[in-house]
Amino acid sequence: SSGINAEWPLRPGKMEQKIVNKKTGCKLVLKGATADMAGSCTCFVRGIGSQDSAEIKIEAQANEVTVTPLKKKISCTEGKKKCNPKCSVTMTAGSVAKKSVKVCKLEDNGKLSKCKAAKVRKGKYGKSLGKVTAASAGNYVCVHSDNGVDTISDPMAVVVKPAGKILI
């Protein structure tokens, strides 16, 4: 009988393996692999009257997260609600979880305050600051959190302009 059998050394966790057979060849698909499963696997192939094997190396790669502000300076008008610091978030592996991004005010001492969950829209993450007041001015950052690791964007400066008053 013909078939493919992948033998994997004992590794922590469970990895799903699937074999996709095509007329011109086949492909071994591994899902659920984690960095601690790095190593090698020997794949044995048996056909009618023949067999072959190949060693496959699995390498762990750090998942790099990049958080980039869409604008470095945001002008907002006092009394209006259109003030929304936004960022893009990219990962080298996987996708960004919707609830993993927040927008925070960056205080002068470097601490984060007034953090609110960001809303995702068209792949961009942002949060309205509500009705703009003079206290809304300052630096804001987007923070991506994953497994206890925070990636913080460069600051976005929010400048508050006084509401225009019409004099008669």
Side-chain angles (χ1 to χ4, degrees):
S1 78
S2 65
I4 298 174
N5 180 30
E7 290 183 10
W8 193 256
L10 201 55
R11 298 270 182 236
K14 190 165 187 160
M15 186 168 35
E16 186 181 318
Q17 54 188 43
K18 178 172 90 175
I19 295 152
V20 180
N21 289 305
K22 304 255 180 180
K23 284 183 181 179
T24 57
C26 56
K27 178 168 66 171
L28 174 64
V29 180
L30 302 174
K31 288 186 178 179
T34 58
D36 55 351
M37 292 177 178
S40 61
C41 157
T42 303
C43 190
F44 295 96
V45 182
R46 286 181 293 284
I48 300 170
S50 66
Q51 67 179 32
D52 200 358
S53 67
E55 184 178 2
I56 301 167
K57 284 195 175 188
I58 307 296
E59 295 179 349
Q61 179 183 354
N63 190 7
E64 288 184 33
V65 178
T66 306
V67 184
T68 310
L70 296 188
K71 291 182 180 177
K72 297 269 186 193
K73 185 177 178 184
I74 303 162
S75 293
C76 303
T77 305
E78 196 171 10
K80 302 279 183 185
K81 285 191 174 182
K82 290 188 177 179
C83 193
N84 192 352
K86 292 181 190 170
C87 294
S88 64
V89 181
T90 57
M91 299 172 75
T92 53
S95 58
V96 180
K98 284 185 181 179
K99 296 186 178 190
S100 65
V101 181
K102 58 190 174 189
V103 175
C104 302
K105 190 166 189 179
L106 180 63
E107 300 297 340
D108 293 337
N109 62 7
K111 299 223 183 243
L112 301 178
S113 69
K114 299 180 184 163
C115 293
K116 299 226 162 121
K119 290 186 178 178
V120 64
R121 198 164 170 204
K122 295 183 181 175
K124 308 298 179 211
Y125 296 82
K127 183 67 183 153
S128 171
L129 301 182
K131 192 171 183 180
V132 177
T133 65
S136 302
N139 286 317
Y140 289 81
V141 292
C142 290
V143 181
H144 174 270
S145 301
D146 185 34
N147 290 326
V149 178
D150 287 349
T151 305
I152 302 172
S153 72
D154 287 338
M156 297 167 274
V158 171
V159 179
V160 176
K161 299 183 291 187
K165 293 184 178 163
I166 301 169
L167 299 173
I168 300 173

